[in-house]
Amino acid sequence: MVSSDVQSWKLDPLRFEARDAERAMTWTLKNPAWRYEVLTDDNAETYVKQHFGPGGFNRPDIVSIYLGLNARIIQADLLRYLIMYVEGGLWADIDVEAIKSIDHFVPKRYSESDIDMVIGIETDEPALKDHPVLGAKAQSFCQWTFMCKPRLPVMMRLIDNILIWLSNLATEQGRSISELQLNFDEVLNGTGPSAFTTAILAEMSFNTGKRKTWADFHGLEESTVVGGVLVLTSEAFAAGTGHSESGNHHGKNALVKHHFHASTWTDSHPRFKHPIYGEVEKCNWDVECVKLWDANTAFFASLPEEDQTKMIALKDREIAAALGKDDAGSEIPLVPDAGSPQALPMLEEARIQLVESDSNAPGSAPAIMLAGVPAGLTEGIPVGLPTDLDPEIPPLADLPPSKVALPAEAAPAEGAPGEAAPAEAALVEVALANEALPAEAPLEAQ
């Protein structure tokens, strides 16, 4: 494996934010024998033209599509794979901190000559593989940190898959590639961890002559080499994420710490967010939490449109009140006692609140009940609103705490999103440097 690394980011190292400089420095301090350089937004286009134009691999399709992309996260992911194909080395997003030196990435029982690539498990939650929102993300290898040799076929397989996906999507949307509209899941499936995983499993299958699926890596307890790819356990690169038995950053097999502060690309490519129950990713792969979210959203979908509209309006007013705003957006006075009738402007109204039934047996599907409805009406999931609601539905302040809110214990670890996301535009890579990079980069190792 080559012993050089380079990072790509929006700015050169002289203009790094303090936290980015701190993360980057962990790589140079722990790996003094590795060369470190920075590729920025200013010279990324020149890099792609140089290596994939007529004087390089002569792939005008790659150059054309890269230059035509306006979706910065797609461009950043594609650049990541292009650099790793050309250079090899190690990639780590800018918000990834090195816990141990790169020398620890390949266990001593393996010979580096037998290894073409080093990856780790990010998400291993096959119980949710068929979930309509989470399914495509439930089984994936980590791509915020990985290593590979230059010119690996799997990287070009991934690049070609992305070009095909972009072309097909442009045809489906009736738009040019520069005008594509992409949501969160489309990004993950097209260029992120899902696409990365699909390409690697296909390459493993080709190299071994046997079909490889996620079942070969579910519950992986120790590293394994398959078709020249060293697969590390989830603790290696995904420690501290709070799922997939990834352990914590103090574990003996933890190699990096992902801080997740560079993933603002979701502002432009939003996740699915239910108007009442929010994002299921907030469950952070907790199966019971996901079941509750599913049950609540299914019940909401069964309501007449008029009742759905009322619930959304009440939710919006509740949020506005919590922010100290009235319906017109003006500030309203906050009172010391949040339980008083004056604390929220809608407390006097009959309010529908979904809560988890306390009578549920452990392990059973969560039941749904309406606040203020007799207990006998709360079995199962009602198909609509009863017409004989008790007129004395208690105000919000008098209701028991709602269990619809996602449980605190299911929240992601500090800074961690519900699943691994690719980093922001022109994100960080740690890979082998090339002669076109600026020589004045101050973090260049000796």
Side-chain angles (χ1 to χ4, degrees):
M1 203 74 68
V2 291
S3 57
S4 300
D5 52 49
V6 63
Q7 290 189 318
S8 154
W9 188 233
K10 295 174 292 187
L11 308 172
D12 64 70
L14 287 175
R15 294 183 289 162
F16 271 8
E17 292 183 33
R19 65 182 183 182
D20 295 334
E22 180 182 349
R23 311 296 185 231
M25 195 64 70
T26 63
W27 292 99
T28 61
L29 292 176
K30 288 182 168 61
N31 303 283
W34 285 56
R35 188 172 75 252
Y36 175 92
E37 298 183 48
V38 174
L39 181 68
T40 70
D41 278 6
D42 294 334
N43 52 33
E45 289 188 4
T46 300
Y47 180 91
V48 173
K49 291 177 182 177
Q50 175 187 348
H51 290 286
F52 294 93
F57 293 104
N58 196 24
R59 288 289 304 268
D61 54 335
I62 292 177
V63 175
S64 175
I65 287 180
Y66 178 83
L67 297 181
L69 283 167
N70 284 329
R72 296 299 297 257
I73 182 57
I74 302 299
Q75 194 176 51
D77 274 340
L78 183 55
L79 178 62
R80 169 191 325 218
Y81 304 135
L82 294 175
I83 291 177
M84 292 299 280
Y85 178 75
V86 173
E87 314 287 3
L90 184 141
W91 164 297
D93 289 354
I94 200 170
D95 51 2
V96 174
E97 170 189 346
I99 295 178
K100 295 180 181 178
S101 69
I102 298 171
D103 293 339
H104 290 85
F105 283 31
V106 178
K108 293 181 179 179
R109 66 179 178 274
Y110 299 116
S111 170
E112 285 195 15
S113 62
D114 297 329
I115 297 173
D116 296 326
M117 190 174 196
V118 181
I119 60 175
I121 288 176
E122 177 187 343
T123 306
D124 181 26
E125 298 292 344
L128 296 171
K129 65 181 178 63
D130 297 320
H131 191 271
V133 178
L134 299 174
K137 303 169 282 194
Q139 304 172 135
S140 63
F141 296 122
C142 173
Q143 43 102 258
W144 63 63
T145 304
F146 68 97
M147 296 175 69
C148 71
K149 293 177 179 178
R151 316 293 200 276
L152 276 189
V154 66
M155 298 312 298
M156 187 51 67
R157 178 193 294 272
L158 177 55
I159 293 165
D160 285 335
N161 286 350
I162 291 172
L163 300 189
I164 294 171
W165 169 71
L166 287 169
S167 297
N168 290 342
L169 200 60
T171 300
E172 291 174 12
Q173 294 189 9
R175 296 185 173 98
S176 67
I177 286 177
S178 64
E179 299 171 322
L180 289 175
Q181 301 294 316
L182 303 168
N183 62 32
F184 178 85
D185 290 326
E186 287 171 326
V187 171
L188 261 65
N189 294 337
T191 64
S194 300
F196 184 70
T197 301
T198 297
I200 291 175
L201 289 175
E203 195 68 20
M204 287 176 170
S205 300
F206 178 81
N207 290 341
T208 62
K210 299 179 181 179
R211 184 169 181 266
K212 297 298 177 182
T213 67
W214 192 259
D216 295 299
F217 305 100
H218 172 52
L220 190 68
E221 296 182 353
E222 62 178 20
S223 60
T224 184
V225 176
V226 180
V229 179
L230 170 60
V231 183
L232 303 176
T233 65
S234 56
E235 186 179 36
F237 298 151
T241 53
H243 60 78
S244 306
E245 299 184 0
S246 58
N248 58 59
H249 300 113
H250 301 292
K252 67 177 183 178
N253 295 317
L255 301 174
V256 304
K257 180 177 182 179
H258 193 188
H259 292 269
F260 295 98
H261 61 65
S263 298
T264 59
W265 63 271
T266 55
D267 296 341
S268 302
H269 307 280
R271 296 179 174 90
F272 171 75
K273 186 174 184 178
H274 192 274
I276 302 296
Y277 304 108
E279 300 168 358
V280 68
E281 285 88 352
K282 297 294 184 182
C283 285
N284 200 34
W285 303 101
D286 180 273
V287 174
E288 292 307 313
C289 176
V290 173
K291 287 181 179 179
L292 181 58
W293 187 90
D294 288 345
N296 284 338
T297 54
F299 171 69
F300 177 87
S302 73
L303 297 175
E305 184 176 352
E306 179 182 359
D307 294 324
Q308 292 182 4
T309 301
K310 289 179 180 179
M311 288 184 68
I312 293 172
L314 288 170
K315 180 73 172 182
D316 290 343
R317 292 178 64 184
E318 196 175 313
I319 294 172
L323 296 175
K325 304 285 184 179
D326 61 16
D327 286 343
S330 303
E331 292 188 2
I332 58 175
L334 298 178
V335 295
D337 180 11
S340 68
Q342 293 78 31
L344 301 178
M346 73 292 201
L347 291 181
E348 298 296 324
E349 302 179 13
R351 178 180 180 278
I352 301 169
Q353 176 169 323
L354 305 181
V355 297
E356 182 181 6
S357 171
D358 290 332
S359 63
N360 280 347
S364 63
I368 302 299
M369 58 184 282
L370 299 178
V373 179
L377 298 179
T378 65
E379 297 179 2
I381 302 177
V383 295
L385 289 175
T387 57
D388 58 343
L389 288 178
D390 184 346
E392 298 299 324
I393 292 180
L396 177 63
D398 297 329
L399 290 172
S402 171
K403 294 184 182 179
V404 165
L406 303 181
E409 62 270 22
E414 180 180 356
E419 69 292 316
E424 198 179 7
L427 275 236
V428 177
E429 308 101 302
V430 186
L432 175 65
N434 76 91
E435 64 277 7
L437 299 178
E440 66 273 20
L443 295 181
E444 184 174 3
Q446 299 300 317

